Amino acid sequence: MSPAVPQNLRDFFLEHNKIALAFSGGVDSAYLLYAALQSGARVTAYYAETEFQPEFERRDARMLARSLGAEMRVIPLEALKDERVAKNGPERCYFCKHNLFSALIQAARADGFSEIMDGTNASDDALDRPGMRALQEMKVLSPLRSCGLHKARIRALSKEAGLFTFDKPAYACLATRIPTGTAIEPGALQRVERAEAALMEMGFSDLRVRIRGGLGLIQLPGAQLKRAMEIREQILGALGRDFEQVALDLNPRPKEK
């Protein structure tokens, strides 16, 4: 038995030994997939492919599932077909999560699974995440949260397990780059994805490019701000094709809790 799986999490999978996983390829769901397999549970990972996920997230998800010998299914979903999501009101995340998990649950049931879990952990603030209300209503299980596993602990366990995701920065969906109340258009999401990919290729990490009208606002951790100033022309050249103006937020991006 791997010591990288706490006993209470093993106990969860003894009780829920056949379960589907809403899989993003991020730190939490990657570790949860590992823990389920190590605990002997029958599990399939379901990845929802929408306009809100960048391509590298799907690549990471496939790579992680392949490394563990886990089955992964990709479920296509057009998130913006729902006007309540596209309008980007205060409840956007609730409607989006409801649609997403409805599709995943339907696919999982067709494969013989009656339960589904996600990677919500004990560090996630339910008051700050409208989408978590949808998960509760749909009876989605969150074993990392119920077992009291916080983000730092999950990263440490992931490192012990040899998962490449152990130090992967959190990456909220692309819709979060657009201010609440501003309608979401596919072109805007594509511009953000291209801009963030270009910055990652330059060596930046844990970043965001937020849309403010025709302006692309770059947010970086404090330690990366100096380099961004040094290669200003390179950044302008890469992002200027998609934005009328490019700005750098001099306030450091807060560290993940």
Side-chain angles (χ1 to χ4, degrees):
M1 290 188 180
S2 171
V5 183
Q7 187 59 51
N8 59 349
L9 192 52
R10 288 188 181 278
D11 291 341
F12 171 87
F13 286 118
L14 283 175
E15 183 177 351
H16 306 274
N17 58 11
K18 181 182 176 183
I19 192 165
L21 168 64
F23 187 53
S24 69
V27 178
D28 301 318
S29 63
Y31 175 71
L32 197 52
L33 180 59
Y34 167 84
L37 293 168
Q38 286 292 312
S39 301
R42 178 187 166 190
V43 59
T44 295
Y46 293 82
Y47 181 92
E49 183 179 57
T50 77
E51 306 95 313
F52 295 163
Q53 278 73 45
E55 174 60 27
F56 81 83
E57 286 281 65
R58 185 173 67 172
R59 289 199 307 268
D60 281 1
R62 284 198 182 282
M63 189 186 309
L64 193 285
R66 191 179 302 117
S67 72
L68 296 177
E71 182 179 357
M72 173 179 153
R73 285 194 58 196
V74 176
I75 310 300
L77 180 65
E78 295 180 85
L80 293 178
K81 287 189 74 173
D82 188 330
E83 288 187 2
R84 300 170 301 176
V85 175
K87 286 180 179 177
N88 197 25
E91 292 286 277
R92 182 209 75 234
C93 190
Y94 171 82
F95 296 122
C96 187
K97 285 283 189 185
H98 198 284
N99 295 343
L100 188 151
F101 273 86
S102 292
L104 295 186
I105 289 170
Q106 182 179 1
R109 284 179 176 166
D111 291 339
F113 293 96
S114 60
E115 294 183 310
I116 190 167
M117 61 181 173
D118 84 317
T120 301
N121 66 64
S123 299
D124 293 326
D125 184 356
L127 297 177
D128 191 41
R129 301 199 176 192
M132 288 179 66
R133 190 170 84 249
L135 303 186
Q136 292 165 358
E137 291 173 0
M138 303 180 82
K139 295 181 170 54
V140 175
L141 301 176
S142 300
L144 298 177
R145 187 176 180 84
S146 63
C147 290
L149 293 173
H150 292 263
K151 194 73 168 192
R153 178 66 173 148
I154 295 165
R155 288 191 182 279
L157 290 168
S158 297
K159 185 175 183 179
E160 185 178 344
L163 303 180
F164 71 83
T165 51
F166 82 92
D167 63 347
K168 183 177 179 178
Y171 195 88
C173 83
L174 293 172
T176 62
R177 315 302 196 267
I178 299 173
T180 300
T182 299
I184 301 173
E185 298 178 353
L189 299 174
Q190 291 162 10
R191 296 204 314 273
V192 169
E193 182 174 359
R194 283 194 296 267
E196 292 188 350
L199 290 170
M200 289 178 190
E201 287 178 5
M202 296 177 201
F204 296 103
S205 62
D206 197 13
L207 59 92
R208 301 288 186 268
V209 175
R210 302 194 187 276
I211 290 183
R212 299 293 184 265
L215 181 144
L217 179 64
I218 302 170
Q219 296 178 329
L220 298 169
Q224 300 178 30
L225 289 173
K226 181 180 179 182
R227 181 164 180 269
M229 299 289 285
E230 293 171 346
I231 62 168
R232 169 180 167 275
E233 293 298 331
Q234 183 180 350
I235 292 173
L236 286 173
L239 275 62
R241 295 187 289 269
D242 280 316
F243 296 98
E244 296 172 15
Q245 292 180 300
V246 178
L248 175 64
D249 190 341
L250 295 181
N251 294 302
R253 214 177 93 71
K255 288 186 178 180
E256 176 188 357
K257 296 180 180 179

